[in-house]
Amino acid sequence: MATTAASSLLKSSFAGSRLPSATRAPSSVVVSTGGAPRTAAISASISSSNPPYDLTSFKFSPIKESIVSREMTRRYMTDMITHADTDVVIVGAGSAGLSCAYELSKDPTVRVAIVEQSVSPGGGAWLGGQLFSAMVVRKPAHLFLDELGVAYDEAADDYVVVKHAALFTSTVMSAVLARPNVKLFNAVAVEDLIVKGGRVGGVVTNWALVSMNHDTQSCMDPNVMEAKVVVSSCGHDGPFGATGVKRLQDIGMIAAVPGMKALDMNAAEDAIVRLTREVVPGMIVTGMEVAEIDGAPRMVSDGYSGLFYIYIALLITEETGIDMHA
């Protein structure tokens, strides 16, 4: 046990930077076996060539508080300037939005801005149904998991099971955010759309907390992002859900938002893929927001993720005729 613990410490992020060694006496634990407690000695001694870390002597490199503030501010402002006029704005960083961003950003020349109202991106894909952990993924969406390197249990011929939904969400998010042509603006809400000549040309943004408090404060004007195409993946109806299609209805660009129907998983996931489309010029709707506009059934699992990430990319680059490099 002591050897394993020492080995894991020496393989930590501190490995290679020798920290002061510490002298530690052997430790012991009390083990209860249902009868009288007995003491089992556990040796914590480690050879002098591989001493344990002395964390009491550890110290980070010094830094001025103003440097931290300046670095954060400069980089965020640079991102805002870069994406004030960008290629694709994806509204909503749930499984649909992140999967779309993953595929589109494979082309390093395509700039992708993701706008997410929550501090924590990922939408509802951090957990499975009824807040359970596992994610059931119907084939052939498991091919997307293979591409991401997400492990799963080959539970049956027709589906696989990821042991925790957060494993998928954190993996696809990490892959997306590591790419230099992607910026996630979380804690930012889309309050409106830019529409010119009957075509959606971008989004109107504000801090999410500001958007939630317009009724309590004086006027707090927004900002904008222009884009060649907007992908709305805001999820089903809720405080910030289905905001894209609801706004289209408000301004008369679509007739109605009937809402999603009762649950039918087999019909629902196929419908999400089939109905993902350019609803109005310049704006594609996908994910559970599609169910709101088309009255498709609701679902429980996220098995559609591996399918529509390809479909959205095809819509943007082919059916809409949008040249990302124009």
Side-chain angles (χ1 to χ4, degrees):
M1 183 181 294
T3 302
T4 302
S7 175
S8 64
L9 282 172
L10 292 171
K11 291 179 180 178
S12 75
S13 60
F14 295 121
S17 300
R18 178 65 64 191
L19 297 178
S21 61
T23 302
R24 300 185 182 183
S27 60
S28 63
V29 296
V30 176
V31 181
S32 175
T33 58
R38 61 185 177 84
T39 301
I42 299 176
S43 174
S45 60
I46 303 176
S47 65
S48 58
S49 62
N50 292 321
Y53 299 133
D54 180 7
L55 297 181
T56 62
S57 300
F58 179 78
K59 189 175 183 180
F60 288 102
S61 299
I63 193 169
K64 291 181 66 178
E65 285 79 1
S66 59
I67 292 177
V68 176
S69 177
R70 190 173 293 118
E71 286 290 347
M72 291 190 301
T73 303
R74 177 176 61 84
R75 292 168 188 270
Y76 198 90
M77 293 301 108
T78 299
D79 288 332
M80 291 184 71
I81 292 169
T82 299
H83 291 284
D85 187 355
T86 193
D87 294 319
V88 183
V89 170
I90 299 173
V91 186
S95 55
L98 290 174
S99 298
C100 176
Y102 174 84
E103 180 65 17
L104 289 175
S105 61
K106 286 179 177 178
D107 184 342
T109 66
V110 175
R111 294 169 299 153
V112 179
I114 310 170
V115 182
E116 167 57 47
Q117 62 85 18
S118 176
V119 171
S120 175
W126 289 112
L127 293 165
Q130 200 169 321
L131 307 184
F132 294 165
S133 300
M135 174 186 276
V136 179
V137 179
R138 294 166 60 197
K139 294 181 179 180
H142 70 296
L143 298 175
F144 189 31
L145 300 178
D146 291 340
E147 181 174 337
L148 292 170
V150 175
Y152 53 77
D153 177 16
E154 191 86 37
D157 292 339
D158 298 325
Y159 67 90
V160 301
V161 180
V162 180
K163 71 175 184 178
H164 202 297
L167 186 58
F168 162 78
T169 304
S170 59
T171 301
V172 68
M173 188 187 308
S174 296
V176 168
L177 295 183
R179 293 174 177 167
N181 53 327
V182 178
K183 171 61 183 179
L184 168 65
F185 294 94
N186 47 327
V188 175
V190 169
E191 294 189 334
D192 206 345
L193 302 169
I194 299 173
V195 180
K196 298 179 180 179
R199 182 181 185 85
V200 174
V203 295
V204 179
T205 63
N206 215 327
W207 305 120
L209 288 176
V210 171
S211 292
M212 296 169 66
N213 285 280
H214 280 308
D215 294 336
T216 66
Q217 304 292 324
S218 59
C219 181
M220 295 174 282
D221 287 335
N223 210 333
V224 298
M225 289 183 186
E226 289 190 275
K228 296 173 182 175
V229 65
V230 173
V231 178
S232 192
S233 55
C234 300
H236 55 70
D237 195 15
F240 282 93
T243 52
V245 295
K246 287 189 288 188
R247 186 56 180 151
L248 290 179
Q249 181 186 19
D250 290 342
I251 60 179
M253 294 188 74
I254 60 175
V257 180
M260 61 184 175
K261 294 180 180 177
L263 189 144
D264 180 344
M265 194 178 301
N266 286 287
E269 295 186 337
D270 292 344
I272 294 299
V273 178
R274 185 179 67 256
L275 296 172
T276 290
R277 66 193 186 281
E278 188 179 26
V279 173
V280 298
M283 182 167 162
I284 292 170
V285 179
T286 189
M288 286 307 299
E289 193 168 7
V290 166
E292 294 289 338
I293 190 174
D294 289 315
R298 64 183 299 169
M299 66 183 73
V300 175
S301 71
D302 290 304
Y304 54 86
S305 298
L307 296 174
F308 62 56
Y309 83 108
I310 298 174
Y311 195 65
I312 296 170
L314 290 173
L315 276 168
I316 293 174
T317 57
E318 294 178 7
E319 291 190 19
T320 62
I322 296 171
D323 182 3
M324 293 297 176
H325 306 97

